[in-house]
PDB file of all heavy atoms in Angstrom:
ATOM      1  N   GLY C  27       9.416  36.932  37.638  1.00 97.00           N
ATOM      2  CA  GLY C  27      10.195  35.704  37.705  1.00 97.00           C
ATOM      3  C   GLY C  27       9.651  34.687  38.686  1.00 97.00           C
ATOM      4  O   GLY C  27      10.093  33.548  38.727  1.00 97.00           O
ATOM      5  N   VAL C  28       8.670  35.094  39.506  1.00 98.00           N
ATOM      6  CA  VAL C  28       8.066  34.188  40.484  1.00 98.00           C
ATOM      7  C   VAL C  28       6.763  33.626  39.916  1.00 98.00           C
ATOM      8  O   VAL C  28       5.862  34.381  39.564  1.00 98.00           O
ATOM      9  CB  VAL C  28       7.786  34.913  41.829  1.00 98.00           C
ATOM     10  CG1 VAL C  28       7.057  34.002  42.798  1.00 98.00           C
ATOM     11  CG2 VAL C  28       9.089  35.409  42.435  1.00 98.00           C
ATOM     12  N   ALA C  29       6.688  32.300  39.837  1.00 97.00           N
ATOM     13  CA  ALA C  29       5.462  31.643  39.368  1.00 97.00           C
ATOM     14  C   ALA C  29       4.482  31.468  40.525  1.00 97.00           C
ATOM     15  O   ALA C  29       3.275  31.607  40.352  1.00 97.00           O
ATOM     16  CB  ALA C  29       5.791  30.297  38.740  1.00 97.00           C
ATOM     17  N   ALA C  30       5.013  31.150  41.716  1.00 98.00           N
ATOM     18  CA  ALA C  30       4.180  30.955  42.909  1.00 98.00           C
ATOM     19  C   ALA C  30       5.049  31.164  44.146  1.00 98.00           C
ATOM     20  O   ALA C  30       6.255  30.941  44.108  1.00 98.00           O
ATOM     21  CB  ALA C  30       3.580  29.560  42.916  1.00 98.00           C
ATOM     22  N   ALA C  31       4.409  31.596  45.228  1.00 98.00           N
ATOM     23  CA  ALA C  31       5.128  31.793  46.489  1.00 98.00           C
ATOM     24  C   ALA C  31       4.193  31.517  47.653  1.00 98.00           C
ATOM     25  O   ALA C  31       3.011  31.854  47.599  1.00 98.00           O
ATOM     26  CB  ALA C  31       5.674  33.205  46.587  1.00 98.00           C
ATOM     27  N   THR C  32       4.742  30.890  48.690  1.00 97.00           N
ATOM     28  CA  THR C  32       4.002  30.609  49.909  1.00 97.00           C
ATOM     29  C   THR C  32       4.888  30.951  51.098  1.00 97.00           C
ATOM     30  O   THR C  32       6.058  30.554  51.128  1.00 97.00           O
ATOM     31  CB  THR C  32       3.611  29.114  49.988  1.00 97.00           C
ATOM     32  OG1 THR C  32       2.901  28.769  48.812  1.00 97.00           O
ATOM     33  CG2 THR C  32       2.753  28.827  51.198  1.00 97.00           C
ATOM     34  N   VAL C  33       4.336  31.675  52.058  1.00 96.00           N
ATOM     35  CA  VAL C  33       5.060  31.988  53.294  1.00 96.00           C
ATOM     36  C   VAL C  33       4.311  31.341  54.439  1.00 96.00           C
ATOM     37  O   VAL C  33       3.112  31.546  54.608  1.00 96.00           O
ATOM     38  CB  VAL C  33       5.168  33.509  53.512  1.00 96.00           C
ATOM     39  CG1 VAL C  33       5.816  33.803  54.864  1.00 96.00           C
ATOM     40  CG2 VAL C  33       5.954  34.159  52.385  1.00 96.00           C
ATOM     41  N   ASN C  34       5.019  30.549  55.238  1.00 96.00           N
ATOM     42  CA  ASN C  34       4.429  29.899  56.398  1.00 96.00           C
ATOM     43  C   ASN C  34       5.005  30.554  57.646  1.00 96.00           C
ATOM     44  O   ASN C  34       6.192  30.392  57.950  1.00 96.00           O
ATOM     45  CB  ASN C  34       4.724  28.400  56.376  1.00 96.00           C
ATOM     46  CG  ASN C  34       3.979  27.660  57.464  1.00 96.00           C
ATOM     47  OD1 ASN C  34       3.940  28.099  58.611  1.00 96.00           O
ATOM     48  ND2 ASN C  34       3.395  26.535  57.111  1.00 96.00           N
ATOM     49  N   PHE C  35       4.156  31.304  58.349  1.00 94.00           N
ATOM     50  CA  PHE C  35       4.599  32.008  59.545  1.00 94.00           C
ATOM     51  C   PHE C  35       5.041  31.042  60.648  1.00 94.00           C
ATOM     52  O   PHE C  35       6.035  31.282  61.330  1.00 94.00           O
ATOM     53  CB  PHE C  35       3.481  32.924  60.058  1.00 94.00           C
ATOM     54  CG  PHE C  35       3.782  33.556  61.387  1.00 94.00           C
ATOM     55  CD1 PHE C  35       4.784  34.494  61.514  1.00 94.00           C
ATOM     56  CD2 PHE C  35       3.067  33.200  62.520  1.00 94.00           C
ATOM     57  CE1 PHE C  35       5.069  35.078  62.730  1.00 94.00           C
ATOM     58  CE2 PHE C  35       3.345  33.775  63.747  1.00 94.00           C
ATOM     59  CZ  PHE C  35       4.346  34.714  63.852  1.00 94.00           C
ATOM     60  N   MET C  36       4.313  29.952  60.818  1.00 95.00           N
ATOM     61  CA  MET C  36       4.616  29.007  61.899  1.00 95.00           C
ATOM     62  C   MET C  36       5.982  28.341  61.732  1.00 95.00           C
ATOM     63  O   MET C  36       6.713  28.159  62.700  1.00 95.00           O
ATOM     64  CB  MET C  36       3.523  27.941  62.006  1.00 95.00           C
ATOM     65  CG  MET C  36       2.162  28.504  62.383  1.00 95.00           C
ATOM     66  SD  MET C  36       2.162  29.391  63.948  1.00 95.00           S
ATOM     67  CE  MET C  36       2.340  28.045  65.079  1.00 95.00           C
ATOM     68  N   THR C  37       6.339  27.962  60.510  1.00 96.00           N
ATOM     69  CA  THR C  37       7.622  27.289  60.278  1.00 96.00           C
ATOM     70  C   THR C  37       8.719  28.271  59.880  1.00 96.00           C
ATOM     71  O   THR C  37       9.877  27.868  59.762  1.00 96.00           O
ATOM     72  CB  THR C  37       7.498  26.213  59.183  1.00 96.00           C
ATOM     73  OG1 THR C  37       7.115  26.842  57.949  1.00 96.00           O
ATOM     74  CG2 THR C  37       6.495  25.148  59.569  1.00 96.00           C
ATOM     75  N   GLN C  38       8.339  29.554  59.670  1.00 96.00           N
ATOM     76  CA  GLN C  38       9.289  30.590  59.257  1.00 96.00           C
ATOM     77  C   GLN C  38      10.008  30.200  57.961  1.00 96.00           C
ATOM     78  O   GLN C  38      11.228  30.278  57.851  1.00 96.00           O
ATOM     79  CB  GLN C  38      10.310  30.863  60.379  1.00 96.00           C
ATOM     80  CG  GLN C  38       9.701  31.428  61.644  1.00 96.00           C
ATOM     81  CD  GLN C  38       9.383  32.910  61.537  1.00 96.00           C
ATOM     82  OE1 GLN C  38      10.251  33.730  61.361  1.00 96.00           O
ATOM     83  NE2 GLN C  38       8.104  33.240  61.631  1.00 96.00           N
ATOM     84  N   LYS C  39       9.203  29.765  56.979  1.00 97.00           N
ATOM     85  CA  LYS C  39       9.768  29.364  55.684  1.00 97.00           C
ATOM     86  C   LYS C  39       8.993  29.993  54.539  1.00 97.00           C
ATOM     87  O   LYS C  39       7.795  30.217  54.635  1.00 97.00           O
ATOM     88  CB  LYS C  39       9.767  27.845  55.527  1.00 97.00           C
ATOM     89  CG  LYS C  39      10.735  27.181  56.469  1.00 97.00           C
ATOM     90  CD  LYS C  39      10.877  25.725  56.203  1.00 97.00           C
ATOM     91  CE  LYS C  39      11.897  25.167  57.198  1.00 97.00           C
ATOM     92  NZ  LYS C  39      12.046  23.762  57.112  1.00 97.00           N
ATOM     93  N   MET C  40       9.722  30.248  53.467  1.00 97.00           N
ATOM     94  CA  MET C  40       9.126  30.748  52.237  1.00 97.00           C
ATOM     95  C   MET C  40       9.466  29.757  51.128  1.00 97.00           C
ATOM     96  O   MET C  40      10.628  29.408  50.946  1.00 97.00           O
ATOM     97  CB  MET C  40       9.693  32.134  51.880  1.00 97.00           C
ATOM     98  CG  MET C  40       9.228  32.655  50.528  1.00 97.00           C
ATOM     99  SD  MET C  40      10.032  34.204  50.059  1.00 97.00           S
ATOM    100  CE  MET C  40       9.034  35.367  50.965  1.00 97.00           C
ATOM    101  N   ILE C  41       8.443  29.302  50.415  1.00 98.00           N
ATOM    102  CA  ILE C  41       8.646  28.400  49.284  1.00 98.00           C
ATOM    103  C   ILE C  41       8.352  29.202  48.027  1.00 98.00           C
ATOM    104  O   ILE C  41       7.270  29.778  47.890  1.00 98.00           O
ATOM    105  CB  ILE C  41       7.729  27.165  49.366  1.00 98.00           C
ATOM    106  CG1 ILE C  41       8.013  26.393  50.645  1.00 98.00           C
ATOM    107  CG2 ILE C  41       7.920  26.274  48.135  1.00 98.00           C
ATOM    108  CD1 ILE C  41       7.001  25.298  50.946  1.00 98.00           C
TER     109      ILE C  41
END
Side-chain angles (χ1 to χ4, degrees):
V28 175
T32 305
V33 175
N34 187 315
F35 173 68
M36 296 302 288
T37 62
Q38 296 282 297
K39 292 188 179 175
M40 174 186 278
I41 300 170

